[in-house]
């Protein structure tokens, strides 16, 4: 326990030194966060860190937290921040980059407050993919990635958690003027056109 804590302090300190630029990518399950992050990485050279992907990799790695994480994901519940933040910090440090899209995090007030307290990192902005529930449901039911949580019962639970726990985080950042909202119900290409505007530096927009 002691060594883990010391190691994590080192990670936190090394990360703070780098002063990384972070964009939180939020939106309901199936709103297209992962799809658009892949496009952003290609065009704007960010490193994409999906909290869900990191948690699923942790299950696969046979970690001591694996069973707990698997049960939480099956129930659509949010894994305790301590676990997710450690995975995010490690991935940020290992990437060697200083620009990150943190996708699917923070998903509740606990995630948000803990990340801020531990890392002292404030996001540049929050990219919010707003999409109607019927459309997200259609997309999740045809995602076909073999995910244990893409069944109608768990999907309904995830929608409830999104409304009750994740939307308040988006509203928190909206009150700080940090939310860039995108209409995510449109086709992938049109959504990316709107995303590009957000990531293009102001001077280039004037010149274009
Ligand atoms: N704009 C879109 N229109 C239609 N289908 C989409 C769109 N964006 C993503 N998808 C599809 O919907 C599913 C969910 O998208 P994904 O990027 O995995 O969402 P999230 O990361 O928010 O859960 C995927 O199968 C993806 O190919
Ligand atoms: N910050 C996070 C992100 C995801 N998760 C878990 O991972 C699941 C899948 O999240 P995801 O971001 O990969 O997928 P979507 O629900 O957005 O499609 C969530 O329903 C949670 O159970 C979490 O506990 N904490």
């Amino acid at each position: 326990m002691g060594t883990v804590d010391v190691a994590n302090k080192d990670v936190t300190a090394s990360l703070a030194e780098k002063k990384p630029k972070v964009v939180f990518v939020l939106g309901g399950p199936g709103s297209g966060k992962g799809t658009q992050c892949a496009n952003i990485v290609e065009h704007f050279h960010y490193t994409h860190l999906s909290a869900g992907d990191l948690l699923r990799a942790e299950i696969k790695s046979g970690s001591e937290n694996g069973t707990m994480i698997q049960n939480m994901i099956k129930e659509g519940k949010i894994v305790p921040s301590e676990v997710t933040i450690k995975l995010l910090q490690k991935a940020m440090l290992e990437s060697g980059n200083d620009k990150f899209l943190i996708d699917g995090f923070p998903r509740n007030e606990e995630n948000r407050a803990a990340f801020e307290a531990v890392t002292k990192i404030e996001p540049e902005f929050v990219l919010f993919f707003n999409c109607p529930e019927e459309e997200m449901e259609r997309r999740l039911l045809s995602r076909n990635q073999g995910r244990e949580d893409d069944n109608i019962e768990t999907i309904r639970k995830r929608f409830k958690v999104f409304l009750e726990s994740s939307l308040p985080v988006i509203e928190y950042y909206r009150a700080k003027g940090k939310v860039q909202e995108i209409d995510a119900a449109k086709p992938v290409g049109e959504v990316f056109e709107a995303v590009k505007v957000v990531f293009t530096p102001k001077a280039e927009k004037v010149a274009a």
Side-chain angles (χ1 to χ4, degrees):
M1 186 70 193
T3 43
V4 170
D5 284 344
V6 170
N8 208 57
K9 261 188 201 160
D10 289 347
V11 168
T12 300
S14 315
L15 210 52
E17 256 173 50
K18 287 182 177 250
K19 298 206 183 320
K21 186 170 163 178
V22 163
V23 174
F24 287 147
V25 181
L26 302 177
S31 57
K33 301 181 293 296
T35 303
Q36 295 299 331
C37 282
N39 287 335
I40 299 166
V41 166
E42 207 177 298
H43 284 75
F44 300 100
H45 315 296
Y46 279 75
T47 292
H48 173 210
L49 299 178
S50 155
D53 284 352
L54 289 169
L55 291 167
R56 284 183 287 273
E58 190 68 359
I59 299 172
K60 276 205 182 139
S61 77
S63 113
E64 57 177 345
N65 285 321
T67 310
M68 178 275 287
I69 298 172
Q70 189 166 25
N71 289 333
M72 302 290 278
I73 289 182
K74 254 193 228 157
E75 287 302 309
K77 292 182 181 158
I78 312 295
V79 172
S81 303
E82 198 201 347
V83 173
T84 317
I85 290 171
K86 273 188 191 155
L87 293 174
L88 285 169
Q89 286 183 303
K90 188 164 170 277
M92 285 169 91
L93 212 52
E94 282 173 1
S95 78
N97 199 351
D98 61 353
K99 288 161 69 178
F100 300 95
L101 299 170
I102 301 197
D103 159 9
F105 183 99
R107 238 172 166 101
N108 62 10
E109 174 58 20
E110 192 220 357
N111 273 182
R112 184 199 66 71
F115 185 83
E116 209 173 287
V118 172
T119 68
K120 316 276 186 243
I121 296 169
E122 171 80 13
E124 301 285 310
F125 61 89
V126 172
L127 191 62
F128 169 36
F129 290 111
N130 198 358
C131 192
E133 217 170 87
E134 313 83 71
E135 174 64 15
M136 295 195 288
E137 185 177 304
R138 255 195 303 276
R139 291 180 189 176
L140 291 174
L141 289 173
S142 52
R143 179 151 61 179
N144 286 329
Q145 286 178 353
R147 275 177 50 172
E148 268 193 291
D149 57 348
D150 281 349
N151 59 78
I152 193 63
E153 199 187 326
T154 311
I155 287 170
R156 297 251 152 92
K157 289 179 182 165
R158 287 154 72 200
F159 285 159
K160 191 164 184 283
V161 169
F162 175 69
L163 289 178
E164 290 175 358
S165 306
S166 309
L167 265 184
V169 173
I170 294 164
E171 293 314 323
Y172 169 90
Y173 286 115
R174 205 195 296 276
K176 294 181 124 196
K178 288 210 159 190
V179 172
Q180 296 281 356
E181 183 167 333
I182 304 284
D183 177 359
K186 294 182 176 159
V188 174
E190 286 181 40
V191 175
F192 189 53
E193 287 306 312
V195 167
K196 266 200 255 177
V197 173
V198 173
F199 281 86
T200 303
K202 283 198 180 74
E204 283 179 39
K205 279 182 207 164
V206 174

